Amino acid sequence: MENLRGTKSQEEQWMLQNQCFRIYDIVSRLPPQAQSVNVEVRRENHIEYLTKSLKQLGPNFSVLDANRPWLCYWIIHSITLLGDCVDDKLENDFIDFLCRCQGQDGGYGGGPGQMPHLATTYAAINSLITVGGHKSLSSINREKMYEFLLRMKDASGGFRMHDGGEVDVRACYTAISVASVLNILDDRLIQNVGDYIVSCQTFEGGISGEPGSEAHGGYTFCGLAAMVLINEVDRLNLPGLINWVVFRQGIECGFQGRTNKLVDGCYSFWQGGVAAIIQRLHLTVNKQLGLPDTFGCKTESDNDSSDSEGEELSEGSSSPVEIHHPTKGGGKLNTTVAMGVNCGYDFIKRPIGMKPIFNSKALQQYILLCSQEEAGFRDKPGKRKDHYHTCYVLSGLSICQHCNARDADSPPLPGDVMGPYSNLLESVHPLYNIVLDKYYEAYEFFA
Ligand SMILES: CC(C)=CCC/C(C)=C/CC/C(C)=C/COP(=O)(O)OP(=O)(O)O
Ligand SMILES: [Zn+2]
């Protein structure tokens, strides 16, 4: 990364600018065959499938024994994205069940009495925030949660999934996401986690699960989101990451998770989420490329246009605010939290300064035509629907529909939503994958 920040020769600058033009150029063309399709999101069918699944599970949500909070999250998040909610009885069962998964020493296990685990802790917290309301939010023991997260901290700076478990980028993200959304993130939790994540960025530009492994969409989302939440995203090679992610959208219009693998509906969120995060990091991207702040930014007329794909990118007149706080890697303290900055909130309040770096129409086409079943969503034709894919395909569809908006609180224009405008889903906070209104409620509650 030093070469992107240090003094550059004219030739180096020219090469970097060229690389950037190449990225933007590819994005505006790929894949070329995306056309408008008038396919509806089968909203009522999906809601019925999801609500029925919840009811069939009963008050113990007994299925997939070590993954029950995940099942809760996939279903409740999907229902909320579709603009619906569950009835009072189900909501109470939901909260009571997750309370029984909460360990006495903090964190949530895969079921009542099970060992707390970072993945199920993340799923439980996102579920409780999605349900919202006083009973749900106040059921979370934040003091014990902080102790649990500290216990999961490894000497490398990374986090372990559970006591004696593996250290990886997923653990780093789930720990940082939970701490951030509950407003308990501090220097002790942050210390050196950026070093661990930086060590996982591979030669391809994406991020792997552990140092030395292959870059993958799931881990790239986790690593990038965590770096934003700790305000150290400028330590990643962002042009390299963009270069990697734009090539993950295939001619089938969907995203693949890694090089030379098949596209799959769930990467609509993992890779689409990466793209959505990048759109708010244009100042850092341009700085790393040695370009002016306004390069590749959206203009006022871009925001007024309903279909901007394929247009030339020009210097923008908008003045995006990307707040920079002093961050220090290499084992020193990150001062962000001491300065009272909430990076998750800060991030979502920024204007979306860059055009989408993926073809959102094409991805909507893949989702509506290839992933959608009569009720529920799947990886690809020939595979069966499931709750995991329903959750992440819907999350990706929401990302597509909202990626041309001026900012998080502006509604998309009709041209941004493939099919009838009634297909529009709720928007999500891309760093946590929580429906935005529910995130705002939690932000106020834990402020
Ligand atoms: C928040 C949280 C817990 C995030 C998890 C992120 C995530 C989805 C990681 C993916 C893990 C992985 C290597 C899958 C490859 O599966 P595969 O070989 O079956 O699929 P592929 O062929 O598409 O790579
Ligand atoms: Zn999948």
Side-chain angles (χ1 to χ4, degrees):
M1 279 314 306
E2 274 322 302
N3 61 330
L4 293 179
R5 301 233 192 84
T7 323
K8 288 186 285 291
S9 68
Q10 283 271 308
E11 193 189 359
E12 278 174 321
Q13 279 192 25
W14 183 84
M15 278 171 61
L16 286 169
Q17 293 196 7
N18 238 6
Q19 183 192 2
C20 193
F21 276 118
R22 191 167 65 94
I23 290 166
Y24 284 121
D25 190 46
I26 286 160
V27 166
S28 67
R29 280 157 216 262
L30 193 157
Q33 77 276 36
Q35 281 157 16
S36 231
V37 289
N38 198 27
V39 177
E40 282 187 29
V41 170
R42 302 184 185 106
R43 194 180 293 266
E44 297 310 321
N45 295 3
H46 300 315
I47 292 173
E48 195 188 327
Y49 156 62
L50 293 159
T51 313
K52 229 172 163 178
S53 307
L54 269 190
K55 287 188 173 150
Q56 275 167 3
L57 293 171
N60 284 321
F61 298 89
S62 13
V63 73
L64 289 170
D65 199 50
N67 271 321
R68 290 190 250 168
W70 270 122
L71 201 78
C72 292
Y73 170 63
W74 297 331
I75 297 181
I76 197 72
H77 181 56
S78 300
I79 291 176
T80 312
L81 275 166
L82 289 159
D84 206 0
C85 56
V86 294
D87 63 34
D88 289 353
K89 153 117 185 42
L90 231 112
E91 190 171 302
N92 269 317
D93 285 352
F94 208 87
I95 301 167
D96 291 344
F97 171 72
L98 289 171
C99 276
R100 285 187 284 127
C101 294
Q102 185 166 212
Q104 282 186 343
D105 296 324
Y108 292 74
Q114 291 186 28
M115 175 196 263
H117 189 285
L118 273 174
T120 43
T121 297
Y122 166 83
I125 294 303
N126 277 14
S127 302
L128 289 165
I129 289 176
T130 303
V131 168
H134 188 270
K135 181 176 175 189
S136 184
L137 298 177
S138 61
S139 72
I140 302 165
N141 187 335
R142 291 196 303 155
E143 287 74 29
K144 291 287 177 196
M145 177 67 81
Y146 178 75
E147 289 168 16
F148 166 66
L149 295 177
L150 260 192
R151 279 205 308 281
M152 296 304 110
K153 184 93 181 154
D154 180 64
S156 63
F159 286 84
R160 287 190 184 280
M161 291 307 295
H162 56 88
D163 244 337
E166 67 278 25
V167 178
D168 63 25
V169 169
R170 209 174 28 135
C172 296
Y173 167 68
T174 47
I176 295 294
S177 171
V178 164
S180 166
V181 81
L182 297 181
N183 200 17
I184 53 172
L185 187 59
D186 71 356
D187 286 333
R188 289 178 79 189
L189 290 172
I190 291 176
Q191 194 160 25
N192 295 348
V193 71
D195 295 353
Y196 183 83
I197 296 170
V198 166
S199 76
C200 294
Q201 185 165 24
T202 80
F203 69 95
E204 285 191 286
I207 299 172
S208 61
E210 298 160 273
S213 297
E214 184 184 8
H216 192 281
Y219 297 121
T220 303
F221 169 81
C222 290
L224 179 67
M227 289 300 268
V228 175
L229 289 172
I230 63 170
N231 202 19
E232 293 187 24
V233 74
D234 54 342
R235 299 181 62 200
L236 289 171
N237 174 351
L238 293 177
L241 196 148
I242 294 173
N243 198 41
W244 177 79
V245 77
V246 300
F247 284 104
R248 303 283 70 77
Q249 190 170 21
I251 50 164
E252 305 87 345
C253 300
F255 271 111
Q256 62 181 185
R258 47 185 161 149
T259 312
N260 289 328
K261 298 293 302 254
L262 298 178
V263 300
D264 172 344
C266 67
Y267 299 124
S268 306
F269 178 75
W270 300 118
Q271 304 286 29
V274 166
I277 295 170
I278 292 285
Q279 278 186 265
R280 286 186 171 86
L281 299 178
H282 52 285
L283 290 183
T284 314
V285 172
N286 286 347
K287 200 168 167 193
Q288 290 191 356
L289 286 164
L291 295 168
D293 283 354
T294 47
F295 184 85
C297 288
K298 295 204 294 185
T299 62
E300 283 304 315
S301 65
D302 292 332
N303 285 325
D304 294 341
S305 138
S306 60
D307 191 350
S308 50
E309 274 154 22
E311 281 173 15
E312 278 287 302
L313 282 142
S314 54
E315 290 206 346
S317 56
S318 57
S319 49
V321 198
E322 201 164 318
I323 301 170
H324 274 274
H325 301 279
T327 58
K328 301 171 189 168
K332 295 181 202 132
L333 282 187
N334 174 313
T335 53
T336 306
V337 178
M339 291 172 70
V341 176
N342 183 313
C343 296
Y345 187 76
D346 233 42
F347 177 85
I348 202 67
K349 286 297 176 190
R350 276 178 211 168
I352 304 175
M354 194 195 276
K355 284 185 173 192
I357 60 161
F358 70 113
N359 191 324
S360 70
K361 294 279 172 56
L363 185 56
Q364 291 182 65
Q365 211 175 44
Y366 180 81
I367 290 172
L368 295 173
L369 296 174
C370 303
S371 277
Q372 184 171 223
E373 290 205 23
E374 247 349 278
F377 292 82
R378 62 191 171 196
D379 160 347
K380 59 175 68 61
K383 300 270 183 180
R384 289 164 66 105
K385 70 182 175 203
D386 60 61
H387 298 112
Y388 164 81
H389 283 92
T390 300
C391 166
Y392 287 106
V393 171
L394 283 171
S395 305
L397 182 57
S398 166
I399 292 280
C400 290
Q401 294 172 339
H402 294 266
C403 69
N404 278 301
R406 186 189 307 258
D407 54 52
D409 301 314
S410 308
L413 294 167
D416 298 331
V417 178
M418 187 159 278
Y421 199 67
S422 57
N423 279 357
L424 184 64
L425 302 179
E426 296 296 317
S427 62
V428 295
H429 190 312
L431 298 176
Y432 308 106
N433 200 15
I434 294 174
V435 165
L436 203 51
D437 288 345
K438 300 295 185 173
Y439 164 76
Y440 286 143
E441 184 192 344
Y443 175 77
E444 299 265 311
F445 190 87
F446 298 122

